[in-house]
Amino acid sequence: MDCWHDEIDNAVSEAELMKGASDFLRLWTPRELAPSSLGLRALRIESSDDIERVKSRLSDAPAQAATRSDFHMRELAGYFSHAATRLAEIRRSPRPSTQP
């Protein structure tokens, strides 16, 4: 899944990051992952705050015995941790001027 992390690194705006995160969530079926377990109504990112919300939910999840589901949760946690870090970088970066 390195291509998904490359997409995070290459995002230059919150909108690009949100689109990538929403696309990543579409890989998961509701049977594999309940949206409510991530603090979402559906498996999609509707605002940049959703990225931080999902990251927090996944990092706060209690550690469980190693299972297939646990592996998936770690994969999701790693993705959203990376996305939240990139989101913070984008927010800190100076905005390009729209004036000539």
Side-chain angles (χ1 to χ4, degrees), residues 10-92:
N10 294 324
V12 295
S13 69
E14 290 186 37
E16 284 182 31
L17 198 56
M18 288 169 36
K19 182 182 178 329
S22 188
D23 290 348
F24 184 75
L25 279 178
R26 283 192 196 108
L27 297 173
W28 305 88
T29 64
R31 186 175 44 215
E32 293 174 309
L33 181 66
S36 61
S37 69
L38 302 176
L40 300 172
R41 287 183 286 235
L43 288 179
R44 66 178 175 263
I45 301 298
E46 296 173 345
S47 75
S48 55
D49 292 336
D50 287 343
I51 292 172
E52 186 61 39
R53 181 179 302 109
V54 171
K55 182 204 86 121
S56 295
R57 281 286 181 110
L58 290 168
S59 65
D60 292 344
Q64 300 172 353
T67 65
R68 180 182 165 116
S69 176
D70 190 45
F71 171 78
H72 292 310
M73 294 307 265
R74 283 194 309 272
E75 186 174 348
L76 279 163
Y79 176 89
F80 278 94
S81 178
H82 186 188
T85 298
R86 181 66 185 131
L87 179 61
E89 291 170 356
I90 290 170
R91 287 177 172 171
R92 282 193 309 267

